[in-house]
Amino acid sequence: MRQLNRLNQYQRLWQFSDGEPQHASVAGLAERCFCSDRHMRTLLRQMEASGWLSWQAQSGRGKRGVLHFHVTPGSLRNALLEQALNEGQQHSALALAQLPPEALRNLLHPFLGGLWQNDSPTLRIPYYRPLEPLHPGFLPGRAEQHLAGQIFSGLTRFITDNPLPQSDLAHHWEVSADGLSWRFHLRTTLHWHNGDAVNAQQLQMRLQHLLTLPDLRRLFNSVAEIAVPHPHCLLFTLHQPDHWLAHRLASYGSRLAHPQHPLVGTGPFRLASFSPELVRLESHEHYHLSHPLLKAVEYWITPQLFEQDLGSSCRHPVQITIGKPDELIHLRQVSSGISLGFCYLARRISERLSQAQARRLVQIVHQSGLLQTLPLDENLITPSRELLPGWAMPHWAEEKVALPEKLTLLYHLPVELHTMAKELKRYLAGLGCELTVIFHDAKNWDNCSGLAIADLMMGDRLIGEAPEYTLEQWLRCDPLWPNLLPAPRFAHLQATLDAVQRQPDEQARCADLQDVFSGLMDEAVLTPLFNYQYQISAPPGVQGIRLNTRGWFDFTEAWLPAPGA
């Protein structure tokens, strides 16, 4: 970026005398800026024309001229950054924003949140980490899962406050009496983000590609064939009935991208930019459902805004801010709620840790005050004894059995599990049990070799729009379960899930699944620990924000009042 390079060169010149006038030759200045004499003369002319400095040259080779500075590098950086922001040059602005956190916060606040940019309503969200690539299948992060749902569509979809799948690319579907044939009838006006019309063969190709992924193959293990009997129809033929099929197709992992262009979808927003500093979405003009009221949504990846000494944290809540520093008091919490997702403790069934010993461990965790060591005062965490509302832990008589002399605990993110592991190790040491703690630096168990040796595991289970179905998907696809359960027991679990999915009645199917999890909790194979309190704060001007199950909000529902309205 030329402006940034020129600014850096100006700062090198300034620093030599801390802004005081300098007597120097062109060759000396060029040496400080690591460039040729010729390029130095060009830089001096450009900086002088911009009003940054004055250069009084002396005639003759090697003569020393006089350099006068008119602006400080800091004020110049601020002015250039503000100009880039006003002109909508996001990449240029973020490249220029090499400032201390507090200064960056003060400068960026007027440009974050909601504003009209070039007569287009735009929402800018500061975010604390780069977003991971949107590859097909399951994604570990909440932000990435939500983003996939805004860019891509599925044959079916979930909507807020409704656990049943709704129409999306398919306007309706039919199921045969035996549950082995599912016909999805497509809308006739579908378009990809690149403007091309969607055809059934493209969706068939993409679905067949998803079935080559191991996780998705396990999820759709009942699917025998996907055919195109009509240009606007997809036919799924199953080996066995699966009345979760419409749910599976509505999952974010089953959203469909263009078969030749994996980042081109049919969702309400198209991906306009994806970099470590900026992710920009723009509304899809040919979207087949209700059109977004926002023109663009931007994630500004600015970790320095979330440093702990600034009193801000984006470990879990989504923070949306706007306004000058003296206006921040007007921010209000627009939506909050207890997440259905939970952190859990699991134990591997083996001779090293019996069921009675595992039950005592569960009692220790929930009755000893260990959960109170977590940052409950930040209103982020709520201890829980339920997997889902009504799916409560069993009550056992107090276990007096001695614990093993040694155990191994494996855990992954989120950060609260660091504290939990440390406190559990300390507490068990007082009972004569040495706990070896291993941290898997990820948001899930993918590619984790320690699962085969650990006695205990702690992790985080995200819950989507259909809670019961999400837990069924967890049992089918997560690498945790074949490591927790002996092979015959895991095979029996999968056979039980097959029997559950054959139940056509939704309530009966969910009740059967609850029985499966009740059995796992009774054996102390699985124990809930706590839920998160998701929060979204926004300024008064940002409307239509409603928390969803992933702690985000549907971008299609958010809107900004017109200027002066």
Side-chain angles (χ1 to χ4, degrees), residues 167-243:
S167 61
D168 197 349
L169 296 176
H171 58 80
H172 77 282
W173 60 94
E174 302 167 328
V175 185
S176 62
D178 60 6
L180 296 177
S181 179
W182 293 61
R183 289 180 179 268
F184 292 86
H185 299 275
L186 304 179
R187 301 177 191 273
T188 58
T189 57
L190 301 174
H191 287 83
W192 298 106
H193 290 157
N194 61 7
D196 293 345
V198 175
N199 62 62
Q201 287 79 12
Q202 292 172 321
L203 301 182
Q204 178 197 36
M205 289 174 59
R206 194 60 182 177
L207 284 162
Q208 289 173 337
H209 171 71
L210 290 179
L211 294 186
T212 66
L213 306 176
D215 288 344
L216 273 296
R217 182 64 262 177
R218 286 192 290 271
L219 187 65
F220 290 97
N221 72 330
S222 299
V223 175
E225 182 185 13
I226 305 173
V228 181
H230 181 273
H232 293 97
C233 179
L234 286 171
L235 171 62
F236 286 70
T237 303
L238 309 185
H239 293 296
Q240 59 182 348
D242 180 5
H243 290 281

Side-chain angles (χ1 to χ4, degrees), residues 81 108 213 235 238 261 268 377 468 486 503:
L81 176 56
L108 288 187
L213 306 176
L235 171 62
L238 309 185
H261 307 288
D377 56 339
E468 295 85 0
Q503 171 62 259

Side-chain angles (χ1 to χ4, degrees), residues 265-457:
T266 56
F269 290 89
R270 66 180 183 87
L271 190 60
S273 176
F274 194 102
S275 74
E277 300 82 22
L278 176 75
V279 174
R280 178 178 169 88
L281 310 181
E282 295 179 355
S283 60
H284 177 30
E285 295 180 357
H286 300 292
Y287 184 50
H288 51 280
L289 298 173
S290 297
H291 282 216
L293 299 173
L294 295 172
K295 176 62 177 177
V297 177
E298 295 174 350
Y299 293 73
W300 284 31
I301 315 301
T302 49
Q304 56 271 58
L305 288 184
F306 299 97
E307 292 194 1
Q308 292 299 315
D309 59 357
L310 294 182
S312 60
S313 169
C314 195
R315 290 175 296 171
H316 304 294
V318 179
Q319 298 183 345
I320 304 172
T321 58
I322 185 176
K324 300 173 184 177
D326 58 350
E327 296 175 342
L328 298 183
I329 58 173
H330 299 300
L331 279 177
R332 79 233 191 267
Q333 183 174 298
V334 295
S335 191
S336 67
I338 299 294
S339 165
L340 290 180
F342 51 84
C343 282
Y344 61 85
L345 174 69
R347 67 115 176 173
R348 185 163 62 92
I349 295 179
S350 72
E351 296 178 354
R352 288 170 52 86
L353 183 63
S354 70
Q355 177 174 296
Q357 290 170 325
R359 284 180 172 179
R360 187 183 179 196
L361 270 174
V362 170
Q363 291 172 337
I364 288 172
V365 168
H366 278 279
Q367 298 173 14
S368 66
L370 282 175
L371 290 170
Q372 304 306 312
T373 64
L374 300 175
L376 304 179
D377 56 339
E378 294 184 15
N379 296 321
L380 286 178
I381 293 171
T382 301
S384 176
R385 299 179 65 91
E386 294 182 324
L387 287 182
L388 295 177
W391 293 28
M393 291 172 50
H395 293 281
W396 307 303
E398 186 176 353
E399 296 285 352
K400 300 293 186 179
V401 63
L403 296 175
E405 293 183 0
K406 294 184 178 182
L407 289 172
T408 300
L409 169 68
L410 175 69
Y411 71 99
H412 65 61
L413 294 170
V415 294
E416 284 75 20
L417 293 184
H418 289 306
T419 302
M420 192 71 194
K422 177 182 176 182
E423 292 300 318
L424 185 60
K425 180 176 181 176
R426 179 191 60 79
Y427 193 95
L428 294 187
L431 299 177
C433 176
E434 179 185 344
L435 184 66
T436 299
V437 173
I438 303 172
F439 173 54
H440 176 56
D441 190 8
K443 299 184 183 74
N444 57 28
W445 296 117
D446 290 348
N447 304 312
C448 180
S449 58
L451 283 173
I453 61 171
D455 304 298
L456 300 168
M457 295 84 166

Side-chain angles (χ1 to χ4, degrees), residues 7-28:
L7 175 61
N8 290 336
Q9 297 288 49
Y10 182 77
Q11 187 159 351
R12 291 188 182 101
L13 296 175
W14 168 282
Q15 288 175 338
F16 187 79
S17 64
D18 199 25
E20 294 298 317
Q22 300 176 18
H23 294 268
S25 66
V26 170

